[in-house]
Amino acid sequence: MINADDPLVPGSGLRIRNLRVGYGPVQALRGVSLEAPSGSVVAVLGANGAGKSTLLRAVSGTLRFHRGAVTAGEIEYAGRPLSRLSAAAVVARGVTQVPEGRRVFTRMTVAENLRAGALGGRGRKETAAARRRVLELFPVLAERAGQRAGLLSGGEQQMLAIGRALMARPSVLLLDEPTLGLAPLMAARIADTVREINAQGTTVLLVEQNAAMALSLASHAYVLEVGEVVMSGPADELAASDEVRRRYLGEIDPAEDTDEATGAPADRTVLTRWSA
Amino acid sequence: MTTFAELLLNGISMGAVYALIALGFVIIFKASEVVNFAHASLLLAGGFLVAELHPSIGFWPALLAGVAGAALLGCLVEFLVIRRSKAASHSVLAIVTIGVDIILVTELTRQIGTDVMAMGDPWRDKVLHLGPVSIAQTRVVALLIAGVLITAFLLAFKYTGWGVAMRASAEDGETAALMGVRLGRVSLGAWAVAGALAAVAALFLAVFPTPGLDRTTGVIALKAFPAAILGGLDSTTGALAGGLIVGVTEALMTGYQSEMAFLGRGIGDVAPYLVMIIILLVRPAGLLGTRELTRV
């Protein structure tokens, strides 16, 4: 197991340099560079199709499931390259992802899902310690241990997905849209949890469309647009910038407003059913 | 009544053997998403090894060798064929396994020729009498061993890390990989287990009252196919239920053939397929096939 508690050694975090990713002829990332120093929370903002999930897939080594490949550039963690590794090897290095849409194993129980999260790790003691930590963080998972994961509410499934990823005792946690489709109250709870996970020493790379939430958590943020980083900087500076406020923080001009409005009501009907 | 009890016991015993084969189908399907038509040749290869080796090394070591050999052959097929053609669609892969089956069966047929090979088992043609009911000892042993293997398998599937990895990758391969599961290893393991179970099944398909192993023994594996389908191709307990249904149906239909003379001879061989078709008409996913348990 890789030790998560390394102090902030310069260059010891996750580092992506000039990354290019293609799905066949389609270029999804065109020279993205990004750094998540050890112990930080870094956010990646962007609209649908900007390449956010592709970025996380490239780090986790799951591009091949989508017939994609890294065509150029470097991904390094703790000074060692990750780019050519299999998904399992990336987990073994201490980099774990919570995929978009939660993707819990619906036919397995909550306890089995957590167990699945520890499959890449070694050692019963470590796993037991990880389980204790996860159940402390999400007591509801202990209550629901014997229930099928498919029967949990959306928020509970997100907690399970995060808990499952923590079972591997990652030193870097990649989160893909953890608040997507959740009620505001639940989204705030997830945000608190992310803060707590980070406080316990885990580096977090957070991909979000919910810019307000992401910028409140992160120390540093990047804005992706059509496969390129168009803006980056300290989170508070970005939050104050006009362009980000206009595009991502809901202070929008009318043209884009209608765009947003068509997506939102549909989400909300689903949500009321989930929280019922 | 005595006849019925005998037929039922025989049916259950054969059903347990079919269930061994069907389980193999199911776990390969779950782990590699391939319908493995080469299963018959894995079975024949395992049985052939036992028959070929027992005169020189004794029955039990030969059985072990047969099980290991069939497991290894399963691994080879996965490693050399299935894994290499990852890009192909699943239906193409299924057809590829038919090709593999033809190649393997052709070679085995060449080896076996027209022989009927004895398995060298210690149970021979002894018959067990339970009151008025008589049953071949081999059938009782088959039921016991298949029962033990199936129980062990289901427990492992439910409780071991291997089982959790299998189920996780069957449900969502990409997410399982994100959890650090090595999908190649899971798939390889499934093929090995399927091969091993098929070899044990081969033994019991070739012992008394069957005269021995011949080149057509593998064809019997095809009866386990309706068993796997009617149980639900992605359900291990379904394979078990399917195996028993096929075994009992076949035994009863064959046993009462004379009372149903109007149906003609050989109804016992056809019955499993009829049952499969009827069940699929009512439940398209099979008896225990996946129904998504999600709240939307």
Side-chain angles (χ1 to χ4, degrees):
Chain A
M1 219 60 209
I2 286 172
N3 191 351
D5 308 325
D6 284 329
L8 287 156
V9 184
S12 70
L14 184 70
R15 199 171 201 188
I16 296 168
R17 261 177 308 192
N18 203 20
L19 185 69
R20 286 172 174 275
V21 172
Y23 296 104
V26 181
Q27 282 282 314
L29 293 182
R30 298 183 284 188
V32 169
S33 297
L34 181 155
E35 205 165 332
S38 183
S40 63
V41 178
V42 170
V44 177
L45 310 177
N48 276 334
K52 306 188 302 294
S53 293
T54 300
L55 181 69
L56 294 194
R57 281 177 197 150
V59 176
S60 282
T62 53
L63 280 170
R64 66 183 180 87
F65 289 94
H66 304 268
R67 292 166 200 261
V70 172
T71 50
E74 296 279 327
I75 304 170
E76 264 179 22
Y77 172 62
R80 291 155 77 194
L82 293 182
S83 346
R84 303 280 172 271
L85 297 182
S86 72
V90 172
V91 174
R93 290 279 179 86
V95 180
T96 304
Q97 186 188 144
V98 181
E100 184 182 354
R102 312 185 261 275
R103 306 272 288 264
V104 295
F105 300 114
T106 53
R107 281 177 242 156
M108 296 175 17
T109 65
V110 169
E112 285 170 343
N113 266 275
L114 291 181
R115 198 162 168 208
L119 285 173
R122 287 157 283 266
R124 277 166 196 274
K125 259 190 179 168
E126 295 230 7
T127 304
R131 180 175 288 111
R132 268 199 303 279
R133 181 182 162 209
V134 167
L135 295 182
E136 243 167 62
L137 215 50
F138 304 111
V140 66
L141 296 184
E143 290 163 29
R144 300 281 166 97
Q147 223 176 70
R148 283 203 185 195
L151 298 172
L152 299 182
S153 74
E156 287 165 342
Q157 286 193 4
Q158 186 61 62
M159 292 183 199
L160 178 57
I162 295 175
R164 183 180 61 178
L166 289 177
M167 288 299 290
R169 311 201 78 185
S171 27
V172 178
L173 189 63
L174 312 172
L175 288 166
D176 197 348
E177 309 239 16
T179 65
L180 189 71
L182 296 185
L185 210 64
M186 187 53 82
R189 270 210 63 190
I190 297 289
D192 286 342
T193 313
V194 172
R195 213 170 270 129
E196 195 172 333
I197 292 167
N198 176 248
Q200 289 175 12
T202 307
T203 309
V204 176
L205 182 62
L206 174 67
V207 158
E208 261 297 344
Q209 286 196 59
N210 181 346
M213 182 274 220
L215 289 175
S216 75
L217 280 176
S219 56
H220 216 83
Y222 295 79
V223 178
L224 269 188
E225 243 167 57
V226 216
E228 279 172 294
V229 174
V230 291
M231 255 185 288
S232 70
D236 43 1
E237 279 179 29
L238 277 182
S241 98
D242 280 348
E243 199 173 350
V244 171
R245 292 173 76 90
R246 190 161 43 81
R247 286 194 182 207
Y248 299 103
L249 291 176
E251 294 156 31
I252 325 166
D253 45 58
E256 289 186 54
D257 196 9
T258 51
D259 229 58
E260 294 267 328
T262 47
D267 275 357
R268 263 175 221 133
T269 40
V270 174
L271 271 173
T272 47
R273 254 197 290 168
W274 266 339
S275 52
Chain B
M1 199 57 216
T2 315
T3 330
F4 178 75
E6 277 174 6
L7 290 175
L8 192 65
L9 259 178
N10 271 309
I12 292 174
S13 164
M14 285 316 287
V17 174
Y18 292 147
L20 286 180
I21 308 170
L23 262 185
F25 270 130
V26 167
I27 59 170
I28 285 179
F29 181 75
K30 282 174 89 90
S32 323
E33 289 179 53
V34 181
V35 178
N36 176 28
F37 288 104
H39 217 75
S41 55
L42 294 184
L43 182 139
L44 191 57
F48 173 71
L49 274 177
V50 180
E52 183 76 7
L53 292 175
H54 80 83
S56 45
I57 62 173
F59 171 71
W60 292 105
L63 179 58
L64 214 64
V67 167
L72 192 70
L73 188 61
C75 288
L76 282 176
V77 174
E78 197 276 344
F79 194 74
L80 297 177
V81 183
I82 305 300
R83 191 172 296 195
R84 309 290 146 196
S85 45
K86 267 270 144 67
S89 84
H90 299 313
S91 35
V92 172
L93 273 183
I95 294 168
V96 168
T97 63
I98 297 180
V100 171
D101 188 62
I102 290 173
I103 292 168
L104 290 175
V105 167
T106 306
E107 173 57 21
L108 286 164
T109 307
R110 199 170 68 87
Q111 296 286 336
I112 297 171
T114 53
D115 293 352
V116 177
M117 302 171 86
M119 302 304 282
D121 61 289
W123 310 293
R124 298 176 191 282
D125 55 358
K126 280 176 242 166
V127 175
L128 215 62
H129 299 281
L130 308 160
V133 178
S134 315
I135 183 168
Q137 207 178 33
T138 50
R139 290 285 194 251
V140 178
V141 176
L143 182 57
L144 289 178
I145 292 188
V148 167
L149 287 177
I150 290 168
T151 311
F153 173 85
L154 290 179
L155 287 177
F157 202 61
K158 179 86 184 127
Y159 295 110
T160 65
W162 173 81
V164 174
M166 273 282 302
R167 285 183 288 146
S169 26
E171 184 172 338
D172 184 345
E174 183 182 358
T175 307
L178 282 178
M179 302 298 115
V181 175
R182 288 167 174 78
L183 297 183
R185 220 181 267 183
V186 167
S187 171
L188 207 61
W191 282 78
V193 170
L197 293 179
V200 176
L203 167 71
F204 290 115
L205 291 177
V207 292
F208 181 78
T210 314
L213 184 94
D214 62 34
R215 57 191 176 181
T216 62
T217 301
V219 177
I220 303 173
L222 290 180
K223 269 185 212 154
F225 196 61
I229 301 264
L230 72 84
L233 200 44
D234 62 352
S235 162
T236 44
T237 30
L240 193 56
L244 290 176
I245 291 173
V246 168
V248 171
T249 311
E250 186 192 30
L252 292 180
M253 291 303 245
T254 311
Y256 291 116
Q257 193 163 263
S258 49
E259 275 89 37
M260 299 181 291
F262 63 95
L263 288 173
R265 287 164 55 80
I267 182 69
D269 292 331
V270 184
Y273 296 93
L274 285 177
V275 173
M276 173 181 83
I277 290 168
I278 293 167
I279 289 184
L280 287 186
L281 284 176
V282 184
R283 294 185 62 95
L287 286 177
L288 298 168
T290 313
R291 262 182 316 158
E292 289 289 17
L293 245 182
T294 34
R295 232 166 77 175
V296 185

